[in-house]
Amino acid sequence: MLNFSKKGLRIISVSLFFCFFTTFDSKAQADLVAEAKKLNLAQDNFWLKILKYEKKWGGLAKPQSAINNEEYFLSKEGRTNSEAELSASIEGFQANIDERTIDKHPICRFPARYKWIKKKLNWAGREDVFKKCSNYNKWSRQGEIKSISLFFATGYFGNPASYFGHALVRFNTDKPHEALLDNAVNYGALTGHDENPVAYILKGLFGGFNAAFTNQIFHQHSHNYSETELRDLWEYRLNLSSEEVMFVVDHTWELLSHKFSYLFLSDNCAYRIAELLEMVYETPLIPRNPLYSMPVTLFEGLGNESRSDGRALVTEVKRVPSRQSKMNDKYLKLSEVERRLVKNIISNSQTLKNNDFAQLNSIEKSNILEALMDYYSYQIISRPEDQEIKKLRHEIIMERFKLPTKTEPENNLTDGPSPHQAQNSFMLRTGYVDNIALGPITELTLRPALYDLLSPAIARPENTGLEIAALKVRMKNSVLEINELNFFKVYNFNIPKTDLPGVKQLSWKINLGLIPQRQNCFDCSVLGFQGGVGTAFQLFPHISTYMLIGGTAQTERDQYGTFAANPELGVLAELFPKWKIHFNLGYKKFINGQKPESSIFQVENRFGNSKSWDLRLSYKKIETTEVSLSAAAYF
């Protein structure tokens, strides 16, 4: 009887204890909700940013979250009702703990909003729950994340989706030699592996894909960009306090894998990462342009803007060169004798045993062997199944192991200007044209993005051009014409920087849009596609040439025909940093029209290399002759 009484007493005591604290929590919850309403936290701009609320149709439609899946919300109305989501969050944070499913507790799922609500309401919180969030603690490295870096990957012309560059976030533990193991967060479209290229472009442009933040260790991204796609990376280390660092870490954890609508030109990596960082910077990093957001624009904001207290947004900018850049930089820093030996060894590995190599000192041998290691690593990327190349690389590595470690510091690879120092993307150009057949013409060109063949090559592939929606309008005697409208225009001449064997790649160009039928008529543009493939090489330092076999397909006009062959030969010369010239000699022959063939000769000069302006002087002869002088502003 006594034992039963004790047992019963324990049951009663536990029940009373549970009821007491349940009542206490219930009252606390009601008080917190009331306090949140009193402070109008549901309409706080920061809370709306956490929920990713966006105004639709210029503010005419009710704001709703950009996140599409319901799992991001604790209220069924959370996607459109910020007050319901706030109340549901407060209630969820006070929910009982189930040790078996602790990582599904709202505090473990939404640490950023938990900490924000806790701070705003001066609430003690539920640290008993927060400390047990195993998945979150693994992600946040138990507080070991000390800083955040944003990386810019230069354009990769093997994939049209990457032409604009890409942005990537890394959470730095700042442990020496462990940066490749740090968490890195990518934002991108969720696409299939076998997506049809045409469908891929159309879906990307018109919202056919979902997108999400995803997480991998940095090594996987670094290997893909630097080793496989041969894209240089630029690291921008962000100037954030420890509290701000943790907020970005926490909020990114909340966003992982949740789905957004994706638009290639606007709702892309630049837009969503800028949105994330602006929550701690409180400084606009990109213009809220409804038409497009460019990754490089995000880095322009980081490099050129400052915080409200005057501090810079970044503490350091440095280049992480690709495998190809490392190979080029190391080879070009060799002496003439060392370069000759590198090429001799490539043609005959037995040269390693000759006196020419044996008589060198250990530093010279190391320089040659390290350049060869990068060369063969580069070759393996394009020919991964070639066992002979792997064997040769192994031999070079073994030879390098025989030499002592360098006692003198290795020359740093050249960084050069960084992405935020590149010429601005949006261009407005006005000019005067003297056309022999038509007389004086006024010209206006508008290009939303990105750069042409003569633009300064800063933090982008050299000898390339990528123009999107470039519109050229002409006026003569108060009459306007659309002279050109390039939906997209891409040049990629792939001019090798070195004379090493096996590094040449195909040169090519494509252009789709409205193009002038000829130069001796007004308002005679046609819809056409132009393309060409060929080769390019360097003649002298800063002077290169290319040859393309090309063709044109266009709509019929004035019996010119619809298909034409037009090979071309060109020269690119950058005699001074502020002066670059493009010579172009071509021939156009329609194969199904009644008009004769025509020769093409063009020379265009760019003067100035400022971020915000340049001058152009050009001469063209295509059936008639015209000379133009123009000035451009870049925004």
Side-chain angles (χ1 to χ4, degrees):
M1 182 71 179
L2 181 63
N3 291 336
F4 174 79
S5 299
K6 287 182 177 179
K7 182 178 180 181
L9 184 61
R10 283 198 301 269
I11 294 172
I12 293 170
S13 299
V14 170
S15 300
L16 289 173
F17 178 86
F18 178 78
C19 291
F20 172 78
F21 279 100
T22 301
T23 304
F24 176 81
D25 284 347
S26 178
K27 288 181 178 179
Q29 177 184 316
D31 291 342
L32 291 173
V33 171
E35 181 67 15
K37 289 184 178 180
K38 181 179 178 181
L39 295 174
N40 198 26
L41 291 189
Q43 300 306 316
D44 188 290
N45 192 46
F46 201 82
W47 176 246
L48 298 180
K49 286 181 178 180
I50 286 177
L51 299 182
K52 298 292 173 276
Y53 273 31
E54 295 180 342
K55 295 180 179 179
K56 300 293 183 181
W57 305 107
L60 297 177
K62 184 179 180 180
Q64 68 178 33
S65 177
I67 296 177
N68 295 326
N69 51 310
E70 297 300 326
E71 292 80 3
Y72 188 70
F73 307 99
L74 294 171
S75 166
K76 292 181 179 180
E77 304 174 50
R79 194 159 183 254
T80 56
N81 188 330
S82 63
E83 186 167 343
E85 185 63 19
L86 182 62
S87 297
S89 296
I90 294 172
E91 179 182 354
F93 295 154
Q94 297 203 354
N96 293 326
I97 302 173
D98 184 341
E99 297 286 352
R100 296 167 301 178
T101 59
I102 185 67
D103 287 306
K104 294 183 180 180
H105 194 281
I107 289 177
C108 299
R109 292 169 55 199
F110 302 110
R113 67 166 83 173
Y114 162 70
K115 290 180 182 179
W116 182 80
I117 289 173
K118 175 182 169 182
K119 182 178 180 180
K120 284 290 184 179
L121 297 180
N122 196 25
W123 173 43
R126 295 285 304 281
E127 295 306 293
D128 59 317
V129 179
F130 191 62
K131 291 177 181 179
K132 295 180 181 179
C133 300
S134 57
N135 289 343
Y136 163 77
N137 287 327
K138 182 179 178 180
W139 154 262
S140 62
R141 301 290 180 92
Q142 300 283 355
E144 290 183 348
I145 297 172
K146 305 301 182 184
S147 64
I148 297 174
S149 293
L150 190 62
F151 285 82
F152 176 75
T154 58
Y156 169 53
F157 279 71
N159 178 4
S162 72
Y163 284 0
F164 297 93
H166 189 64
L168 177 75
V169 180
R170 188 180 73 193
F171 298 123
N172 307 315
T173 56
D174 290 344
K175 292 182 179 180
H177 312 300
E178 291 189 17
L180 290 176
L181 300 178
D182 286 338
N183 284 333
V185 173
N186 182 59
Y187 181 86
L190 303 173
T191 64
H193 295 293
D194 55 351
E195 192 75 50
N196 177 281
V198 176
Y200 178 88
I201 293 173
L202 292 176
K203 287 182 179 180
L205 289 174
F206 299 107
F209 290 124
N210 281 319
F213 287 93
T214 55
N215 173 56
Q216 289 179 313
I217 63 171
F218 182 68
H219 169 72
Q220 294 171 299
H221 292 290
S222 177
H223 183 270
N224 181 52
Y225 292 135
S226 298
E227 300 291 334
T228 303
E229 297 180 351
L230 303 175
R231 302 164 71 175
D232 283 350
L233 297 174
W234 290 85
E235 179 184 0
Y236 284 64
R237 188 161 289 236
L238 306 182
N239 188 6
L240 299 173
S241 68
S242 57
E243 184 180 0
E244 290 168 336
V245 167
M246 284 313 301
F247 174 81
V248 176
V249 171
D250 291 346
H251 191 43
T252 304
W253 168 253
E254 296 178 341
L255 296 172
L256 285 178
S257 300
H258 291 296
K259 294 181 177 62
F260 296 75
S261 296
Y262 182 79
L263 289 171
F264 181 67
L265 294 178
S266 54
D267 286 1
N268 52 26
C269 65
Y271 182 89
R272 292 301 170 191
I273 291 176
E275 182 180 61
L276 173 65
L277 298 180
E278 286 171 356
M279 295 185 72
V280 290
Y281 277 135
E282 297 183 352
T283 297
L285 296 178
I286 58 173
R288 284 302 182 259
N289 188 322
L291 298 178
Y292 65 91
S293 300
M294 301 296 172
V296 72
T297 308
L298 169 57
F299 291 84
E300 288 171 3
L302 285 173
N304 298 322
E305 299 295 332
S306 59
R307 307 194 67 161
S308 57
D309 59 3
R311 289 181 295 147
L313 298 181
V314 297
T315 58
E316 181 185 19
V317 179
K318 65 179 181 181
R319 172 179 171 235
V320 182
S322 68
R323 174 63 62 187
Q324 185 175 29
S325 294
K326 290 177 183 177
M327 178 188 71
N328 291 338
D329 287 354
K330 285 185 178 179
Y331 179 77
L332 293 174
K333 286 180 178 178
L334 298 177
S335 68
E336 287 297 325
V337 172
E338 291 169 339
R339 291 186 197 178
R340 176 175 56 81
L341 279 170
V342 166
K343 289 184 287 187
N344 288 345
I345 293 169
I346 291 171
S347 62
N348 183 4
S349 62
Q350 295 303 310
T351 305
L352 284 169
K353 299 178 175 59
N354 292 348
N355 286 335
D356 287 347
F357 183 77
Q359 68 186 4
L360 299 176
N361 62 46
S362 61
I363 296 297
E364 292 169 326
K365 288 179 180 178
S366 297
N367 290 340
I368 290 172
L369 292 172
E370 288 171 8
L372 286 165
M373 287 164 58
D374 279 323
Y375 171 77
Y376 285 121
S377 295
Y378 171 78
Q379 291 296 320
I380 288 172
I381 293 169
S382 56
R383 291 184 283 171
E385 304 302 322
D386 194 324
Q387 298 303 315
E388 183 63 24
I389 292 178
K390 293 179 181 179
K391 178 184 175 182
L392 291 169
R393 181 175 179 270
H394 179 74
E395 290 179 8
I396 296 300
I397 292 173
M398 291 299 100
E399 287 294 325
R400 178 62 185 89
F401 279 152
K402 296 176 183 178
L403 299 173
T405 304
K406 291 180 180 178
T407 55
E408 57 185 51
E410 183 178 347
N411 290 331
N412 291 327
L413 299 182
T414 304
D415 277 359
S418 46
H420 71 274
Q421 297 170 308
Q423 197 169 63
N424 296 329
S425 179
F426 188 94
M427 182 202 72
L428 183 63
R429 173 178 289 130
T430 182
Y432 170 82
V433 180
D434 185 10
N435 185 294
I436 297 298
L438 302 174
I441 298 171
T442 302
E443 188 174 83
L444 180 68
T445 304
L446 176 69
R447 187 193 69 208
L450 272 159
Y451 54 85
D452 62 32
L453 201 54
L454 290 182
S455 300
I458 295 177
R460 64 174 176 83
E462 291 191 54
N463 304 301
T464 61
L466 172 57
E467 299 185 77
I468 305 294
L471 172 67
K472 181 187 290 184
V473 179
R474 287 184 165 187
M475 176 180 287
K476 174 178 169 57
N477 298 328
S478 300
V479 178
L480 284 174
E481 68 148 354
I482 295 177
N483 183 255
E484 287 186 53
L485 174 57
N486 297 312
F487 302 136
F488 61 89
K489 187 176 186 179
V490 185
Y491 295 92
N492 187 19
F493 288 136
N494 277 319
I495 299 171
K497 290 185 176 182
T498 71
D499 57 356
L500 290 169
V503 299
K504 290 180 64 66
Q505 298 182 49
L506 196 68
S507 297
W508 53 274
K509 75 168 189 178
I510 54 175
N511 180 25
L512 174 65
L514 293 175
I515 54 178
Q517 170 80 285
R518 55 192 187 277
Q519 273 187 226
N520 57 2
C521 67
F522 196 78
D523 195 19
C524 59
S525 296
V526 294
L527 179 63
F529 174 83
Q530 298 175 326
V533 295
T535 187
F537 53 89
Q538 193 171 59
L539 294 173
F540 306 101
H542 308 295
I543 301 178
S544 304
T545 186
Y546 65 89
M547 293 169 284
L548 301 179
I549 298 174
T552 299
Q554 65 177 50
T555 54
E556 172 61 50
R557 183 164 188 157
D558 300 334
Q559 298 182 320
Y560 266 74
T562 54
F563 298 99
N566 53 295
E568 64 178 285
L569 170 69
V571 175
L572 290 162
E574 189 163 13
L575 305 179
F576 303 98
K578 295 184 178 181
W579 180 23
K580 188 172 183 179
I581 311 173
H582 180 205
F583 297 89
N584 174 258
L585 180 64
Y587 179 80
K588 195 169 187 178
K589 170 65 177 177
F590 281 93
I591 60 177
N592 62 343
Q594 300 180 20
K595 297 295 183 180
E597 65 274 7
S598 59
S599 58
I600 301 168
F601 178 68
Q602 302 178 82
V603 181
E604 185 175 11
N605 298 267
R606 182 260 295 165
F607 300 102
N609 61 350
S610 167
K611 281 177 58 68
S612 56
W613 67 270
D614 68 21
L615 299 175
R616 302 287 177 103
L617 176 64
S618 67
Y619 171 90
K620 295 182 182 180
K621 186 171 183 181
I622 309 174
E623 297 186 355
T624 189
T625 300
E626 70 175 35
V627 178
S628 66
L629 176 64
S630 62
Y634 299 87
F635 305 94

